[in-house]
Amino acid sequence: MGNRLLSSLILTAAMSATAQAADTKVIHVMHQGDPAGVAAIGAVAKAFEAEHPGVDVETIYAPHDAYNEKFSAAVMANQLPDVMELDAPFLANYVWSGYLQPIKPLIDKDVLDDMTNSNIVQGTYPVDKDLYAIGLTDSTVVLYGNRKYLEAIGARIPTSVDDAWTREEFEGYLEKLSKLDGVKWPIDTFRGYGIKTEWITYAYGPILQSSGCDLIDRTTWKSAGTLDADACVEALTMMQTWVKNGWVVPQSAGTNQFYAENNPAALALGGHWFYAEAAAAMKDDIIVMPLPKFGAKGASPNGTWIWAVTKTSDHPDVAGKFVSFMLKDKEYRKFIASKSGYPGLKSFAAESPLYAAGGAMAIAYEQASKTAIARPPYPAYPTITSAFMQAVDEAFNGGDPKAALTAAAEKIDEDIEDNDGYPPFGDQQ
């Protein structure tokens, strides 16, 4: 009798466990980041599960530089995650391809109301003007300087975006710094990130735009005649000259030469995220300045890794709740702030004195409203950035800038032609 009762209890418990498992909602969250970032997202997942019994959050990590390839593999295998992190300039391609769903109905209203304008721009698809992704942060690139070297050459220190160095000032300072004792290279443009990384288009594209050109015509969506126009050729030739003159830290030297102990670089064209590590090493010697004006206007990048919900999600409501939870999670915000995260939510900006008026990175935040230009919000962007990366690499290795940019423009237009103009974009002319 006792054995039968025990068997019955075991069977009942097993059936209960099976029923509970069937009721469990599983969402898969695909993301990138460094080890600390992976741990931070893992902690958010556990906290969300604790507050939402019956939900299992499974995280899927993909290395930053291989993220798009891993996502493509997931597409081919029909195994899209419920929540995915994506680099903002790729949003148009993902929406056009049918991978994402509008996110506004899935996100808490207080979070939507909290978004900065630049955050809204980076998550919006230009055809239907709907929001498909959201982030805690945005991004930018600034010009960092070593105070002692700039003072040694008598450099003028800009105090606002409107006061940025001109091309003549910038190149004049590079020349002087190249002759200054203790400076091995005048500037680090972070070639150490690699020649096939989004950094190339993200950081160097604004130099073209400030010079008066662009990667593609944003009305006709044709690259020939724009990317290889005289202004772009001149801009790439200018950058090539910096490399030829030995003014730029080579790719082989790595990514920390700005604060290296011996023979450091005097300037750095670096992302907002670089501030935390550089300031820790340099203390009061670090200066943050706006990007130079290489032409009649200033230009700076924006757009970063943001969160979206895929169309194939079995539980889009839970996926949206997870994203909302993560963006409001206090510990996650503390982690992002520790990495000098650039605010994409107004409440996060209020928690980030680094970017407030008088803060060390106030100029970086000022760029968002005055000079930020998004990378082309167009489905052909993967081809646009790939082609531009190749053109820059060829020029930096001594190739003809005009020929390199013409080849890039042809490659971009060929992709657009192969896709019949990516309709309905062709109807927007």
Side-chain angles (χ1 to χ4, degrees), residues 47-396:
F48 184 78
E49 288 175 341
E51 288 198 16
H52 297 80
V55 173
D56 180 16
V57 180
E58 295 186 5
T59 59
I60 305 167
Y61 170 72
H64 180 282
D65 293 338
Y67 191 89
N68 290 327
E69 288 81 355
K70 188 161 184 176
F71 177 72
S72 296
V75 171
M76 296 296 292
N78 291 317
Q79 293 180 342
L80 289 183
D82 298 89
V83 176
M84 67 170 292
E85 198 176 13
L86 65 125
D87 202 358
F90 290 84
L91 181 132
N93 178 271
Y94 288 172
V95 176
W96 185 84
S97 299
Y99 303 144
L100 308 181
Q101 61 178 292
I103 202 171
K104 193 178 289 185
L106 308 174
I107 300 296
D108 292 352
K109 186 178 184 303
D110 60 331
V111 177
L112 294 171
D113 292 343
D114 201 18
M115 296 176 73
T116 62
N117 287 338
S118 60
N119 195 357
I120 294 170
V121 168
Q122 68 176 341
T124 299
Y125 185 53
V127 173
D128 60 15
K129 307 293 192 296
D130 212 340
L131 189 72
Y132 284 82
I134 186 172
L136 176 61
T137 59
D138 199 342
S139 70
T140 196
V141 171
V142 295
L143 184 66
Y144 296 101
N146 188 312
R147 186 183 305 276
K148 63 182 179 182
Y149 295 131
L150 294 182
E151 288 180 351
I153 63 169
R156 180 180 68 83
I157 307 301
T159 57
S160 73
V161 170
D162 300 329
D163 196 32
W165 286 344
T166 64
R167 172 183 173 177
E168 291 71 22
E169 284 181 296
F170 178 66
E171 292 191 313
Y173 293 146
L174 292 179
E175 174 69 28
K176 288 182 178 179
L177 290 167
S178 70
K179 299 173 181 176
L180 188 66
D181 287 342
V183 173
K184 187 169 185 179
W185 297 285
I187 189 167
D188 192 347
T189 63
F190 292 88
R191 295 183 66 196
Y193 286 151
I195 61 172
K196 293 184 179 180
T197 64
E198 184 58 23
W199 172 255
I200 301 299
T201 309
Y202 172 69
Y204 301 170
I207 296 177
L208 271 63
Q209 291 154 347
S210 179
S211 300
C213 57
D214 206 346
L215 301 168
I216 191 169
D217 186 305
R218 302 193 188 203
T219 301
T220 65
W221 298 111
K222 300 294 182 185
S223 186
T226 297
L227 180 55
D228 56 353
D230 290 346
C232 278
V233 173
E234 169 59 23
L236 186 55
T237 302
M238 172 184 68
M239 288 188 277
Q240 182 189 63
T241 301
W242 302 343
V243 173
K244 285 182 176 179
N245 288 348
W247 292 347
V248 179
V249 175
Q251 183 179 346
S252 59
T255 59
N256 68 336
Q257 294 309 308
F258 180 55
Y259 57 88
E261 290 186 8
N262 300 312
N263 299 315
L267 298 168
L269 189 79
H272 70 271
W273 58 87
F274 182 67
Y275 176 82
E277 59 183 270
M282 297 174 64
K283 311 299 182 189
D284 293 338
D285 275 339
I286 190 169
I287 296 175
V288 181
M289 299 175 286
L291 294 181
K293 291 180 183 176
F294 294 101
K297 65 177 184 179
S300 61
N302 82 323
T304 190
W305 290 83
I306 48 183
W307 299 93
V309 176
T310 63
K311 266 190 177 178
T312 57
S313 174
D314 290 330
H315 309 292
D317 54 335
V318 178
K321 285 178 181 176
F322 174 78
V323 174
S324 297
F325 180 90
M326 177 171 55
L327 299 183
K328 290 189 277 189
D329 186 76
K330 290 181 180 179
E331 293 305 314
Y332 184 66
R333 284 183 174 221
K334 284 181 184 177
F335 167 73
I336 298 298
S338 74
K339 298 291 186 180
S340 59
Y342 187 98
L345 296 181
K346 298 165 195 170
S347 61
F348 187 52
E351 299 166 7
S352 307
L354 191 63
Y355 293 94
M361 291 285 282
I363 278 179
Y365 202 52
E366 185 188 358
Q367 284 188 162
S369 61
K370 291 186 175 180
T371 62
I373 299 175
R375 282 158 283 178
Y378 188 60
Y381 186 77
T383 301
I384 294 171
T385 187
S386 174
F388 182 63
M389 288 177 201
Q390 185 173 346
V392 171
D393 184 50
E394 288 179 10
F396 282 10

